[in-house]
Structure formats: C-alpha cells, structure tokens
Amino acid sequence: METTFLIIGGAGIVVLALSVLIGDLFHFGHPDAAGPFSVPAVAGFIGAFGFAGAAVAAVTGSDGLLVPVAAGVVAAVPTAWLATRLARLAINMRTDATPTQRDMIGTTGVIVTPITGNGFGEVRISLGGQPVKLNARADRPIPLGARVFVVEATSPTSVIVEETPL
C-alpha cells in the first residue's frame, strides 16, 4: 500500500517538474491564473496526498485505506492552498522595467577597446545594475581605460561618448 501512495506522490512531483521544464502545457484555465486547478495546486495536492498517505500507512501498518486516505487529504488541502498562494505571489511579483536606449544616455563608462582615429571602439557601462559592453563612437580618439559619458544612444548596441576628466 505504501508503494501505491509513493507512486501517487511521485506523480505529483513529475507533474510539477514537467510544468517547470515544458512550461504551461498542463495548465488548466487562464495561463496567468493561480487558482485551485492550476498546475502548482494540482501538483501540490497530488504530491502531498501521496507522500502523507504513504507515511501514515507505513507508520500505522494499517491494511485499510481510510486512515491513509484521510491523512493524505488532510495534508494535501493546505499544501494545494499554499502552492496556489506562492504561485500567485510569483505571478504578481513586481519587477524592474526593462532598460531601454534612453536609459543609456547620461551613464558613465570605461573604454574597453580604444576609440581610434576613425572614431570607433567599445565602452562598458552599467545598465540596470548589469555591465553592458557597447560599440562606442567619439569625435576624437579615446584611450583604453578612459572614463566616458554617454551623450547619445544611436541604437540598442551603439552609443556616442565623450571623455570625462577623472
């Protein structure tokens, strides 16, 4: 009997793993919903039901189904509710806006490939807290390691810079 409940619990883990690896393939209802029939709720219910039922069946040594099934339901309902709440919190989590070209203007950076006489090189800036390497252009040559100021973003990967005093 314990084996049957362990297989049920394992099925809950498989459902959750597939939903994480494959996406919302097994999602019931609206894709952004985290309701009682969402993948996290169903997987949590099945997993908790199976593992709690197996634990109670092993501890009590009962041959009947009533006690393990009741214990499985008692464990599964709050687990499904908690999984739903956690999924809803994750879905509605506030995040920072995606940085755009406009966000590059006014940032400072360091030249990582010298800007030569023809006016082209590379600069490293911090955008959204992450280092970003961009193509850089300037009116005059700028040496490696010089601090620069971004005056214009000509594309998502290219900027115009001016050297700044240390």
Side-chain angles (χ1 to χ4, degrees), residues 95-110:
T95 60
D96 292 335
T98 303
T100 63
Q101 268 181 254
R102 289 177 75 177
D103 296 321
M104 291 188 273
I105 300 170
T107 61
T108 58
V110 176

Side-chain angles (χ1 to χ4, degrees), residues 7 15 22-23 44 55 58 68 70 90 93-94 98 110 112 114 126 133 137 145 147 153 155 162 164-165:
I7 290 171
V15 168
I22 299 175
M93 184 185 330
R94 295 171 48 89
T98 303
V110 176
V112 293
S126 179
K133 187 167 79 168
R137 217 173 42 176
R147 304 265 315 145
S155 78
E162 290 181 0
T164 59

Side-chain angles (χ1 to χ4, degrees), residues 55-76:
V56 169
V59 169
T60 62
S62 172
D63 287 337
L65 283 175
L66 182 62
V67 174
V69 167
V73 170
V74 167

Side-chain angles (χ1 to χ4, degrees), residues 34 38-45 78-89:
S38 65
V39 172
V42 171
F45 185 91
T79 302
W81 178 83
L82 181 62
T84 302
R85 296 286 299 161
L86 290 173
R88 191 171 291 141
L89 285 172

Side-chain angles (χ1 to χ4, degrees), residues 99-146:
T100 63
Q101 268 181 254
R102 289 177 75 177
D103 296 321
M104 291 188 273
I105 300 170
T107 61
T108 58
V110 176
I111 297 295
V112 293
T113 302
I115 298 178
T116 60
N118 65 4
F120 293 100
E122 292 179 317
V123 63
R124 185 182 62 238
I125 65 170
S126 179
L127 189 60
Q130 297 296 313
V132 179
K133 187 167 79 168
L134 303 165
N135 297 317
R137 217 173 42 176
D139 293 338
R140 58 186 186 80
I142 301 176
L144 176 70

